Amino acid sequence: MKLFECTYCGQLLQFENTRCEKCGHELGFLPEELQLFPLIEEKGVYSLYNHQTERRYRYCDNHAYGVCNWLVDDNLPARFCTACSLNQTIPDLNKTEYRQRWSVIEAAKHRLIYTLLSMKLPILSKETDPEKGLSFDFMADEQNSEQKIMTGHDNGLITLNIAEADDVEREMARRSMAEPYRTVLGHFRHEIGHYYWDRLIDGTSNLEPYRKLFGDEQEDYGEALKKHYKEGAPADWNEHFISTYASTHSWEDWAETWAHYLHILDTLETAYAFGLSIKPGIVHDPSGLSAIIKADPFRLENFDDIISMWLPLVFAMNSINRSMGLPDLYPFVIPVQVIEKLKFIHGVCLRARQEGARGEQNSRAEALQS
């Protein structure tokens, strides 16, 4: 996530802020520009302070619940913003506990959508495209019911059990599954990976090179899960996969690796925004642990440039955490094979962005001709 600045008073802002604490202006996030703006209210609608546009905006309807600061063009009939329009089911907000959990979930989901917009990946709601669109169900286990809500993805529908937004519940799940890392944002990044496998890999020219790296997705998924939970990961999993769960099936390898690709991009963008550089205070640096985070990772075409910044940053972050008596912030080791998988994902996303840009140019050209 990049840094935001109040264009009225210069105060540094957080992505989720709704009001500048220094100047008092209300704030709104404009997804088209990926920027947070101070707002000027005019008869119930807002203009952007010191901005050339003459458009007027409203807050997304979910602003009323304190879970969204994104803006909607006042000329459009939409009630919800780009992120909230993807919601199909939300929990019962009359229950205080559910409302608190939904707030945590929305904060993570909005960060996910920010990343996807930064990557310039296609984002369609199922309301717009029922077949290829994306939607979210945020649901709770019903009392006195043996059937539990399972977090997962099915043809563009991502379901999340809201218990994942409770720190205690999530930690219990992490321990029971012997996972080194489990967060709400991590869930979103994993599940959205399944969605983009359908959009960017299945039925495309990317499928064959995908199979060479991740394996044959036609392997029986149900049987692969049974085998994994019965026998566990292979002994040499850490030479080929980013996690034990990635060894389950080709699809899970893709989703786990995709999630880490998003971890890397977003964390590096934060480091770049703060102007971080890594230079160990030692005479010799045979491990290559020096790095200047010198570029926005979302704009880099060469993945080698990304990974060369990431590895030193991870070493520094984990060292700082250990100094505080905390577990490693990034408790993973990336083997060579996983770097190749990450590089493949980077190439797929880069081509999708380029194709999207060409499509926009063609649409503008056609509009001008007509």
Side-chain angles (χ1 to χ4, degrees):
M1 181 68 66
K2 64 184 179 183
L3 287 176
F4 298 95
E5 180 182 12
C6 177
T7 55
Y8 182 85
C9 69
Q11 174 76 8
L12 287 180
L13 306 170
Q14 297 285 350
F15 177 61
E16 292 84 6
N17 287 160
T18 58
R19 180 180 294 275
C20 178
E21 295 299 324
K22 184 176 180 181
C23 67
H25 276 86
E26 290 185 83
L27 302 170
F29 182 78
L30 192 61
E32 300 96 296
E33 298 190 22
L34 295 176
Q35 290 291 349
L36 194 59
F37 290 100
L39 305 176
I40 307 296
E41 185 175 3
E42 300 174 357
K43 298 180 181 180
V45 295
Y46 297 92
S47 61
L48 309 180
Y49 172 77
N50 198 25
H51 195 285
Q52 293 180 345
T53 183
E54 296 182 357
R55 291 182 180 178
R56 298 296 179 264
Y57 297 91
R58 302 173 268 111
Y59 276 119
C60 168
D61 273 13
N62 282 339
H63 177 73
Y65 299 102
V67 299
C68 182
N69 63 351
W70 289 29
L71 299 173
V72 177
D73 192 323
D74 191 51
N75 290 322
L76 300 177
R79 295 173 51 207
F80 298 103
C81 69
T82 303
C84 292
S85 64
L86 302 173
N87 291 353
Q88 179 173 278
T89 305
I90 62 173
D92 182 357
L93 300 185
N94 291 315
K95 298 182 179 181
T96 302
E97 180 184 13
Y98 287 7
R99 188 163 172 170
Q100 291 172 342
R101 293 182 178 187
W102 182 50
S103 177
V104 173
I105 288 167
E106 283 297 338
K109 191 198 73 183
H110 278 68
R111 282 182 172 256
L112 170 75
I113 302 304
Y114 166 88
T115 300
L116 300 179
L117 290 171
S118 297
M119 296 169 70
K120 300 187 183 301
L121 290 178
I123 302 175
L124 297 170
S125 71
K126 279 198 171 296
E127 189 172 312
T128 303
D129 190 332
E131 181 60 30
K132 295 182 179 180
L134 173 68
S135 63
F136 295 92
D137 279 352
F138 304 135
M139 304 172 70
D141 292 328
E142 296 296 330
Q143 290 184 344
N144 304 318
S145 174
E146 295 183 358
Q147 187 172 1
K148 303 297 183 182
I149 300 298
M150 299 299 294
T151 295
H153 167 267
D154 183 16
N155 191 33
L157 173 61
I158 292 176
T159 302
L160 184 71
N161 189 321
I162 65 170
E164 289 291 343
D166 182 275
D167 291 342
V168 175
E169 293 276 357
R170 191 174 61 255
E171 178 61 14
M172 290 171 61
R174 187 191 69 80
R175 286 175 174 268
S176 69
M177 301 183 74
E179 296 175 337
Y181 173 91
R182 190 181 184 97
T183 66
V184 177
L185 184 53
H187 277 307
F188 276 126
R189 287 172 173 166
H190 174 99
E191 300 303 340
I192 204 71
H194 287 301
Y195 171 73
Y196 280 109
W197 188 91
D198 291 343
R199 301 281 73 82
L200 303 178
I201 302 298
D202 192 26
T204 74
S205 59
N206 292 320
L207 184 57
E208 284 306 315
Y210 160 86
R211 286 174 175 167
K212 292 179 181 178
L213 285 170
F214 294 89
D216 188 354
E217 82 290 350
Q218 298 173 94
E219 177 191 2
D220 189 287
Y221 181 73
E223 290 301 317
L225 282 180
K226 289 179 183 178
K227 180 180 179 182
H228 174 76
Y229 287 120
K230 181 181 179 180
E231 302 177 8
D236 63 347
W237 69 267
N238 56 352
E239 298 178 15
H240 311 284
F241 303 98
I242 193 63
S243 67
T244 56
Y245 191 59
S247 69
T248 303
H249 186 274
S250 171
W251 284 334
E252 298 303 342
D253 190 10
W254 163 270
E256 285 284 271
T257 310
W258 173 281
H260 281 260
Y261 178 63
L262 267 56
H263 291 335
I264 291 169
L265 289 185
D266 204 40
T267 307
L268 279 175
E269 186 187 34
T270 304
Y272 172 64
F274 277 93
L276 295 184
S277 61
I278 313 299
K279 183 173 176 55
I282 54 179
V283 176
H284 302 291
D285 182 22
S287 300
L289 292 177
S290 297
I292 299 174
I293 315 302
K294 58 185 178 181
D296 179 354
F298 289 110
R299 305 283 77 84
L300 289 175
E301 296 189 3
N302 188 341
F303 184 74
D304 291 340
D305 293 335
I306 293 174
I307 203 69
S308 67
M309 294 188 294
W310 176 246
L311 297 179
L313 180 62
V314 164
F315 190 86
M317 291 192 305
N318 288 347
S319 298
I320 290 171
N321 260 35
R322 292 183 186 191
S323 297
M324 290 292 294
L326 296 171
D328 285 352
L329 187 62
Y330 185 77
F332 302 92
V333 175
I334 307 180
V336 173
Q337 285 195 22
V338 172
I339 290 177
E340 291 303 310
K341 295 173 184 179
L342 288 165
K343 185 180 294 187
F344 173 77
I345 290 174
H346 182 69
V348 168
C349 292
L350 180 62
R351 288 190 292 276
R353 186 171 73 202
Q354 292 169 342
E355 290 170 5
R358 285 195 293 269
E360 289 180 6
Q361 290 175 352
N362 292 337
S363 296
R364 286 195 294 268
E366 291 174 2
L368 289 172
Q369 290 175 358
S370 62

